[in-house]
Amino acid sequence: MRRQLSRMASMVPITAIAMMLIAPVHVLAQTQDQQDRLNLVAKYVVTAPMCERLGMVLAPDLPARAEARLDAEMASWVIDSHLRERLKNEAVGRQGKMLGIDLGKTATEAKTDAQLRNLKAVLSGFGHTCMAASTDPIFQSLIVPPANYDLDKAAIYAADAVLEAGGLASWQTPQIQARGDLMMVAGACRSKIGATRSDALLDEYGHSDDPRVRGYYMKSFDAGLSDPTLISTLAGCKRAIASLLPKVR
């Protein structure tokens, strides 16, 4: 065996052996800075849909353009092209899983009013990532905040869109919540209390100059119309209306 190795070594030029030893270092190794950069770019890519929910404008072909710009940035990296692709895919997969876990944790823990209202803080965190992305060389024209963009207001608006159905939006005062409940009863009980009484409740307590509030009332009324079994008797409808009237005035 030793003789065979010696014979093989004698057949390979010294310079070739040197290249074989040196090449893997240049071809396979990436620096920590390069790995951090890949992770950051991947984080911006997977967070982009959240940026849109927060009112920012995304380029329609963002993933493809971001990858093209990343490839141009990586062109100077002394890394084998196949490894480069693998590292990119791994970074995106990793960041996607992290985002999924973070959102899943938020959803799982959102059981109390306080935890649900914490959604605004969670969205603000994503918003700060989006703002950082909007100044990054790769994403600065791919994720664009509107003029006079206010991240805090955007986070509140996005959180309210999620919390509205449960009556927990920032603008839903106890009175507004009670009126929403009354509108649902007015819709669900229409067949029991009659159209005249149902319409009177809608006209008196279902109007608002705020389109968000008005929309909430209409959605509540429509939900009641869609579920007339919510309260099954006339007596039950009268009790529900009587219990809510003091809260809506």
Side-chain angles (χ1 to χ4, degrees):
M1 175 67 73
R2 226 177 257 168
R3 279 191 211 145
Q4 289 176 339
L5 290 174
S6 297
R7 194 178 305 117
M8 290 173 63
S10 66
M11 297 170 61
V12 180
I14 296 298
T15 52
I17 294 175
M19 289 302 296
M20 289 170 61
L21 293 174
I22 294 172
V25 175
H26 290 288
V27 171
L28 299 179
Q30 84 275 15
T31 67
Q32 184 62 57
D33 285 345
Q34 290 169 345
Q35 183 64 65
D36 290 345
R37 179 59 176 156
L38 282 174
N39 286 335
L40 183 62
V41 171
K43 181 179 182 179
Y44 290 158
V45 169
V46 302
T47 307
M50 298 298 297
C51 303
E52 188 169 36
R53 292 201 65 172
L54 287 165
M56 299 187 185
V57 180
L58 303 188
D61 52 350
L62 184 149
R65 289 176 65 181
E67 184 175 17
R69 292 180 182 183
L70 177 60
D71 286 341
E73 184 177 314
M74 295 176 71
S76 62
W77 298 8
V78 188
I79 300 177
D80 176 78
S81 60
H82 296 294
L83 176 62
R84 206 158 54 209
E85 288 302 308
R86 177 168 68 80
L87 292 173
K88 283 195 303 184
N89 292 334
E90 287 176 352
V92 171
R94 182 183 308 114
Q95 292 297 326
K97 289 177 183 176
M98 290 165 63
L99 178 65
I101 290 172
D102 293 346
L103 289 175
K105 183 175 183 292
T106 299
T108 300
E109 292 180 348
K111 296 176 181 177
T112 67
D113 288 1
Q115 289 169 333
L116 285 166
R117 294 183 194 281
N118 188 54
L119 181 61
K120 185 252 183 182
V122 174
L123 291 172
S124 290
F126 287 122
H128 286 296
T129 298
C130 297
M131 292 299 289
S134 71
T135 62
D136 184 274
I138 287 178
F139 294 90
Q140 60 186 359
S141 63
L142 305 182
I143 299 176
V144 182
N148 303 315
Y149 183 75
D150 187 319
L151 175 56
D152 189 63
K153 289 182 179 178
I156 291 173
Y157 185 85
D160 282 348
V162 176
L163 298 174
E164 177 185 333
L168 296 172
S170 62
W171 48 267
Q172 287 175 314
T173 64
Q175 184 189 56
I176 289 174
Q177 293 175 10
R179 288 193 176 201
D181 292 342
L182 182 60
M183 290 303 96
M184 186 172 291
V185 170
C189 290
R190 189 176 182 85
S191 61
K192 289 94 174 175
I193 63 177
T196 300
R197 179 62 169 149
S198 177
D199 288 344
L201 291 171
L202 180 62
D203 289 342
E204 185 170 358
Y205 301 108
H207 290 187
S208 174
D209 293 331
D210 188 327
R212 298 173 303 177
V213 177
R214 188 166 60 250
Y216 173 59
Y217 292 160
M218 291 300 94
K219 288 176 185 176
S220 299
F221 186 75
D222 291 344
L225 289 175
S226 300
D227 188 9
T229 64
L230 185 66
I231 302 177
S232 58
T233 66
L234 174 59
C237 289
K238 288 182 177 179
R239 283 195 299 271
I241 293 170
S243 67
L244 287 169
L245 282 176
K247 302 176 182 178
V248 300
R249 293 177 174 140

